[in-house]
Amino acid sequence: MSRCRVCQHALLEFFDFERQPLSSAFVAPDGTDDEFFFRLAVGMCESCALVQLIESVPPELAHHEGYPYHSAGSSVMTKHFEETARRFIETELTGPDPFVVEIGANDGVLLHTCGEAGIRHLAVEPSGAGTVRVHRAFFDAASAAAILATDGPADVVYSANTICSVPDLRPVFEGLDVLLASDGVFVFEDPYLGEILERTAFDQIYDEHVFFFTVRAVQALAERFGFVLADVERLPVHGGQIRYTVARAGRRTPTPAVAELLAEERELGLTDMATLEAFGRKIQGIRTELVALLHRLRAEGHTIAAYGATAKSSTIANYCGIGPDLVPYVCDTTPAKHGRLTPGSHIPVRPAAVFADPYPDYALLFAWNHAEEIMAKERAFREAGGRWILYVPHVHVV
Ligand SMILES: [Zn+2]
């Protein structure tokens, strides 16, 4: 039986995506024999209600270079990190000589913005590339103690799109216990199970996302390690996330937003197995519809390409069996992916410029979480008669 990574109780499985590759393992055309596959399935802990992957990717294969890196590459995300930094500066970093730490610094926008305001800052990241000051390590009690010795306690420890990828959360909370100032806060943002269910955004489920948080589960998680969930805030980024603010037990009174979202989760039955199993049936429905649509369009002689060779598109492509026979190529702006094949599904990745040369009749929008931005940028595609195929929250053509 599989056990909860946090409290060791049994996991109740509610959906199985079957055989899936590593979502970031784009393969060379002659390298498809060596691909690694695992069973991508999700379950909920019967005790603490934390939704998580049933099987883990072996640690030596999982994002070995450090915390998963999510390049902003997007003006929306750059603005988000700048605004978050300004918020911290106004609310949490107001004491004398404040100090902010970011776990997995993404592209460093947040810390850079804090730095411009004269605030001491540090990224904790094993791979440690980038323009901001970096402590090269995973965040745990040892690295936290080293930082405490040189920089003193942190007023804010922040992390975006990283905590949900850390299979063992105990060292993270042990590190927080060492490094956080007595009134300091740990603020993290990750995809929200409520939003994933609401949008049927099942492609958020892939090897790099181990946990799918709810307010209920994060509250239990924080309390387990001697902290309190002090505030929650829904964010529009990445298709819907929650920003959790965690403080030392007894140091902050939870805001009304915590109780409100807890009540909303109860009302929606977010951590009921019946709700999660209904989500699974919707995923099966999307597969049936999307595969039928692609087959019909191909049979009618239409050309189809995919847009955005994202890690999260790996789940849908493999679960639906979408290969180069249905979608002959996918356009992407990342040079390192060009000339390679999508993991498991083996769709060739072409440069973004190929998209308009000539435009396909239909474009399957894999990077749907940036739909608004992409559709604005690619307005000419739509004006030339092209149509977008989206599959979140349901299969539709626009
Ligand atoms: Zn548990």
Side-chain angles (χ1 to χ4, degrees), residues 3-7 9-12 14 42-53 164 166-167 169 193 210-214 216-218 220-221 271 276:
R3 299 271 168 192
C4 173
R5 289 172 179 78
V6 174
C7 79
H9 281 80
L11 291 180
L12 309 170
F14 61 85
V42 269
M44 179 178 68
C45 173
E46 61 173 4
S47 175
C48 76
L50 182 52
V51 170
Q52 54 200 280
L53 296 188
C164 69
V166 179
L169 292 173
L193 183 71
V210 178
F211 295 114
F212 304 90
F213 293 122
T214 55
R216 179 185 164 190
V218 170
L221 176 70
T271 49
L276 298 171

Side-chain angles (χ1 to χ4, degrees), residues 305-391:
Y307 194 102
T310 59
K312 60 164 56 113
S313 60
S314 179
T315 297
I316 186 151
N318 285 281
Y319 176 64
C320 295
I322 299 171
D325 53 330
L326 278 177
V327 177
Y329 60 97
V330 52
C331 296
D332 195 277
T333 51
T334 314
K337 294 178 183 172
H338 299 156
R340 296 195 157 242
L341 309 176
T342 56
S345 50
H346 302 160
I347 301 170
V349 185
R350 306 269 183 255
V354 170
F355 187 60
D357 188 27
Y359 284 125
D361 299 333
Y362 290 84
L364 178 59
L365 186 52
F366 276 153
W368 62 266
N369 53 321
H370 297 298
E372 219 169 287
E373 219 176 339
I374 290 169
M375 286 184 186
K377 186 179 140 202
E378 299 288 357
R379 197 173 292 115
F381 166 62
R382 198 60 189 69
E383 284 166 4
R387 294 287 180 271
W388 295 101
I389 301 171
L390 291 114
Y391 44 86

Side-chain angles (χ1 to χ4, degrees), residues 243-295:
R243 173 183 290 159
Y244 303 92
T245 300
V246 169
R248 291 184 185 275
R251 303 303 302 196
R252 296 221 181 176
T253 306
T255 61
V258 177
E260 281 163 22
L261 262 175
L262 279 172
E264 190 182 307
E265 289 183 354
R266 271 194 301 274
E267 202 166 306
L268 291 168
L270 196 55
T271 49
D272 295 346
M273 278 304 276
T275 308
L276 298 171
E277 284 161 358
F279 168 61
R281 286 191 292 277
K282 278 166 106 179
I283 298 171
Q284 289 170 324
I286 286 179
R287 169 163 75 174
T288 306
E289 266 188 65
L290 181 59
V291 171
L293 173 67
L294 295 175
H295 276 289

